[in-house]
């Protein structure tokens, strides 16, 4: 995407410091070169032919400077440097400054530099020549004294060369720092290798050129050969950089080139925003092709590569040449469009891309449909740097895919990923790896003593012999990846940076219930719990094990009773996950599951839940409580048989009967991969573990699943139960579900029973069991034992409000 050279203008807000620096450099140049230039007219008649040859070559070469491919004119190589430095070594400062000024004026005119910029360039060269001349004067005397070049002369020339390069590059880098902002050294270091290769080579040629000129002026033009070699070296170097920034398949710029382009365009458009220019918006469009994987799988990668080449050609034709098109990898492309007035123009460009992809691509006579989803992020509304714009465009692109749309603009409400959520995932891994807190010995259902923590490593006992082993405090060791993630998140997450009291805005108790691990649709809220008053202790950053001692709270299981509606008896409990984070308060279970289910942490979480629930069943059995406990499992758990093996091993070790454990699965888990899920469910059924279909009516399952799966129970989702007393449609769904499940011989449990009328309506409809705030809120295991001791069954009696609302004919 071609744009005007940004160095020809000065951004708002930087005029004063930048202009002051330019004036200072020009004044210094005048001060350095005034005296030599005043005496130059008297010296001109006596200057030799070699001088005039060098002067002519300096001006002629700069009329067509070497602009390496892939670089802007700001990185051009000016051959006059070699000739003017040679003139400085041979004939002094005045002639060198004069020739350099003429060469700069010619190159500035050819490259359309502004007047002030041409003046500054001439001044910077004059200052560099003046500093180099000063180093020569500090040397042993005149060069080539006695007709030969001595070692002291070589040292003086080397010092002058280094001084010229340091002064010139320092002035240019400082000007760029004042012009574009940012840190001085990183930007200066970025261009240093190229300048050393190009400008440094030209400076080193100057002493050779002077030596040749003393022998014969005819040898001076021969320096054009090594100059051409310098040009070729610079060209090859930049071509390598250019190839590294190109996609080898399509020839389009790649991700590296896109990053550089966006960074430069952000600078330009930030200045336009400051000037309130109409075209001050920059758009980043992220394009992901639809159904491209199907082409690869069906026709092979060779055809897929040909398709990408054809698509890239279409996208190039759809653009007007000003915008940059890049391929990021796979089937992802990106477009950088500048000079926009608003989001409407970005949408128009996206519509052009959609139209270009609408027509099928014909490969070997086979038409292939390749639509695409496009996400748009706009500068500065949606981000002010490459990373933010790219992430927000990616969010918008996936938002378009989820909505079955072609174009979407970034919206904050669609962004479900954040540094805070990554921090939550890292803390969850830590709390799971730490394991449950130690407790009293557990006795299983058969009366055998069990360890309070399964799988805990025994502590090394101190020996009684001569070599006594020292006990060492166990230390939590973090993987390098977790430690690095924690450091990144600590800098990015404002919650983690706080070292005082807990976050005032963290969610407190009362978060909605959710099953564990697969929450599905959560139950009603949780019991009110006091906020933790203990302040978060700061962890010194210089301690090597600081990350391992970060307080991440404790995960506990809450249990909500399930009541047989007809008799009022407690027939079971549902295990629900609770995590009180020391800085975030009570973490919303639904968010917790959503974060964990997309990573390998889900496996750790499932193991923890299974271990805790089976262990608690063993404790209750030892205390004479024989309730069935239900726990949720995620779709990831059902894709392998590992969950069945884990449950079997834990039931055996704790001596718990399989019929006392029940697993709840959601309809979404069934639809993810029915074949694999059915295999796991069948394995669990053979163990004697009951299976319950949770949140029935909210997913996409068919009646075929109710017939084929070894189900024991169906749970009516709370979204229908809550409204059945007032909404005839909800009441009809609940009644139909109860009748259907009853005909198939399945128990029916209603979630979200919060009032007496709903309780009576469910009884009238023939529902088997219910759970909700009407009976009890979820509570820790120790509180549940006390609640069971004082609970008295209540049976519903006939009541006038027990008639289920009927919907009217439409």
């Amino acid at each position: 995407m071609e744009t005007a050279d940004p160095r020809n203008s000065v951004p708002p807000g930087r005029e004063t410091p930048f202009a002051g620096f330019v004036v200072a450099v020009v004044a210094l140049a005048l001060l350095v070169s005034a005296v030599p230039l005043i005496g130059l007219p008297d010296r001109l008649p006596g200057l030799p032919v070699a001088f005039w040859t060098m002067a002519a070559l300096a001006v002629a070469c700069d009329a067509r400077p070497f602009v390496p491919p892939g670089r802007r004119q700001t990185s051009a190589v000016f051959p006059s440097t070699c000739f003017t430095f040679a003139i400085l070594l041979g004939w002094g400062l005045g002639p060198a400054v004069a020739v350099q000024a003429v060469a700069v004026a010619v190159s500035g005119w050819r490259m359309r530099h502004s007047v002030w910029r041409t003046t500054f360039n001439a001044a910077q060269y004059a200052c560099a020549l003046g500093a180099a001349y000063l180093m020569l004067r500090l040397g042993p005397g005149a060069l080539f004294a006695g007709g030969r070049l001595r070692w002291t002369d070589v040292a003086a020339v080397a010092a002058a060369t280094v001084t010229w390069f340091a002064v010139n590059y320092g002035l240019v880098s400082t000007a760029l720092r004042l012009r574009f902002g940012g840190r001085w050294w990183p930007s200066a270091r970025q261009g240093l290798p190229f300048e050393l290769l190009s400008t440094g080579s030209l400076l080193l040629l100057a002493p050779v050129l002077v030596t040749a000129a003393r022998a014969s002026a005819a040898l001076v033009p021969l320096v054009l050969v090594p100059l051409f070699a310098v040009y070729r070296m610079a060209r090859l170097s930049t071509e390598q950089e250019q190839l590294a920034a190109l996609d080898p398949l399509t020839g389009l710029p790649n991700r590296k080139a896109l990053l550089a382009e966006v960074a430069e365009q952000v600078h330009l458009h930030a200045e336009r925003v400051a000037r309130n220019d109409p075209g001050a918006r920059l758009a980043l469009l992220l394009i992901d092709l639809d159904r491209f994987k199907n082409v690869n799988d069906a026709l092979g990668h060779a055809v897929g590569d040909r398709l990408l080449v054809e698509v890239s050609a279409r996208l190039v034709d759809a653009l007007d040449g000003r915008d940059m098109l890049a391929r990021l990898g796979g089937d992802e492309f990106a477009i950088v469009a500048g000079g926009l007035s608003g989001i409407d123009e970005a949408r128009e460009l996206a519509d052009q891309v959609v139209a270009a992809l609408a027509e099928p691509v014909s490969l070997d006579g086979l038409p292939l449909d390749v639509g695409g989803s496009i996400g748009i992020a706009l500068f500065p509304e949606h981000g002010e740097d490459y990373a933010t714009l790219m992430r927000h465009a990616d969010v918008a692109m996936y938002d378009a895919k989820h909505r079955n749309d072609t174009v979407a603009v970034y919206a904050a409400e669609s962004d479900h990923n954040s540094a805070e959520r990554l921090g939550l995932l890292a803390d969850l891994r830590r709390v799971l790896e730490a394991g449950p807190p130690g407790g009293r010995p557990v006795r299983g259902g058969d009366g055998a003593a069990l360890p309070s923590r399964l799988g805990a490593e025994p502590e090394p006992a101190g020996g009684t012999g001569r070599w006594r082993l020292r006990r060492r405090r166990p230390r939590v060791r973090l993987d390098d990846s977790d430690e690095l993630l924690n450091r990144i998140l600590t800098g990015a997450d404002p919650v983690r940076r706080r070292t005082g009291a807990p976050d005032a805005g963290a969610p407190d108790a009362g978060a909605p219930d959710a099953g564990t691990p697969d929450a599905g649709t959560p139950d009603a809220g949780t019991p009110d719990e006091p906020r933790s008053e203990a302040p978060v202790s700061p962890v010194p950053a210089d301690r090597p094990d600081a990350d391992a001692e970060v307080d991440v709270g404790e995960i506990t299981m809450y249990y909500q009773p399930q009541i047989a509606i007809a008799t009022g008896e407690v027939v079971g409990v549902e295990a629900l996950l609770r995590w009180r984070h020391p800085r975030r308060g009570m973490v919303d279970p639904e968010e917790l599951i959503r974060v964990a289910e997309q990573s390998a942490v889900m496996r750790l979480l499932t193991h923890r839940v299974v271990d805790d629930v089976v262990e608690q069943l063993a404790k209750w059995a030892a205390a004479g409580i024989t309730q069935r406990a239900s726990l949720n499992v995620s779709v990831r758990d059902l894709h392998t048989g590992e969950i069945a093996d884990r449950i079997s091993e834990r039931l055996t070790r704790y001596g718990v009967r399989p019929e006392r454990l029940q697993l709840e699965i959601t309809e979404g888990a069934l639809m993810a991969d029915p074949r694999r899920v059915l295999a796991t469910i069948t394995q669990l059924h053979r163990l004697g573990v009951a299976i319950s279909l949770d949140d029935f009516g909210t997913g996409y399952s068919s009646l075929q699943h109710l017939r084929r799966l070894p189900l024991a129970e169906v749970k009516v989702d709370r979204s229908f139960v809550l409204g059945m007393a007032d909404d005839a449609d909800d009441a009809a769904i609940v009644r139909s579900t109860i009748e259907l499940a009853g005909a198939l011989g399945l128990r029916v449990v209603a979630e979200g029973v919060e009032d007496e009328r709903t309780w009576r309506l469910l009884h009238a409809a023939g529902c088997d069991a219910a759970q909700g705030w009407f009976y009890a809120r979820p509570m820790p295991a120790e509180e549940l034992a006390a609640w069971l001791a004082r609970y008295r069954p209540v049976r519903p009696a006939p009541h006038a409000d027990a008639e289920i609302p009927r919907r009217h004919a439409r």
Side-chain angles (χ1 to χ4, degrees), residues 75-96:
S75 298
V77 179
F78 297 96
S80 62
T81 300
C82 173
F83 297 105
T84 55
F85 192 66
I87 292 174
L88 174 72
L89 297 178
W91 296 281
L93 180 60

Side-chain angles (χ1 to χ4, degrees), residues 419-431 433 477-498 536-552 579 581-584:
E420 183 176 357
R421 180 165 293 185
L422 289 176
L424 193 68
L425 182 62
D427 288 345
L428 178 60
R429 175 181 288 275
R430 292 190 183 93
V431 73
E433 289 178 343
R477 182 182 181 275
L478 294 178
D479 294 336
D480 294 340
S481 58
D482 286 339
E483 181 177 354
L484 177 60
L485 177 62
N486 182 73
R487 292 177 179 175
I488 296 174
L489 295 171
T490 301
D493 187 354
V495 177
R496 286 170 166 260
R497 291 199 297 266
R498 299 192 183 103
V536 180
S537 301
V539 180
D542 56 348
R543 293 176 57 178
D545 58 345
D547 291 340
E549 298 184 7
V550 173
D551 185 9
V552 290
W579 180 20
H581 195 281
R583 293 181 298 277
R584 307 173 191 269

Side-chain angles (χ1 to χ4, degrees), residues 626-670:
T626 57
Q627 298 296 337
R628 181 188 70 239
S630 300
L631 59 90
N632 289 261
V633 291
S634 73
V635 62
R636 292 173 66 99
D637 302 320
L638 298 174
H639 280 174
T640 66
E642 183 181 1
I643 180 67
D645 297 336
R646 183 84 176 189
I647 290 176
S648 176
E649 192 272 335
R650 290 306 188 253
L651 291 175
T652 302
R653 178 171 294 193
Y654 278 113
V656 176
R657 297 195 305 273
E659 60 267 20
R660 293 190 55 207
L661 185 66
Q662 178 171 278
L663 263 62
E664 298 184 3
I665 62 175
T666 62
E667 293 186 78
L670 290 179

Side-chain angles (χ1 to χ4, degrees), residues 16 31 59-60 80 159-160 167 269 294 398 403 439-440 455 459 461 539 570 572 577 593 690 695:
T16 302
L31 182 64
V59 175
S80 62
V167 172
H269 286 77
N294 298 338
Y398 278 105
R403 294 191 286 106
R440 294 174 296 179
E459 294 185 4
V539 180
V570 180
L577 181 69
I593 300 304
D695 302 334

Side-chain angles (χ1 to χ4, degrees), residues 76 250 376 437 603 612:
T250 62
I376 302 175
R603 177 175 176 272
D612 286 0

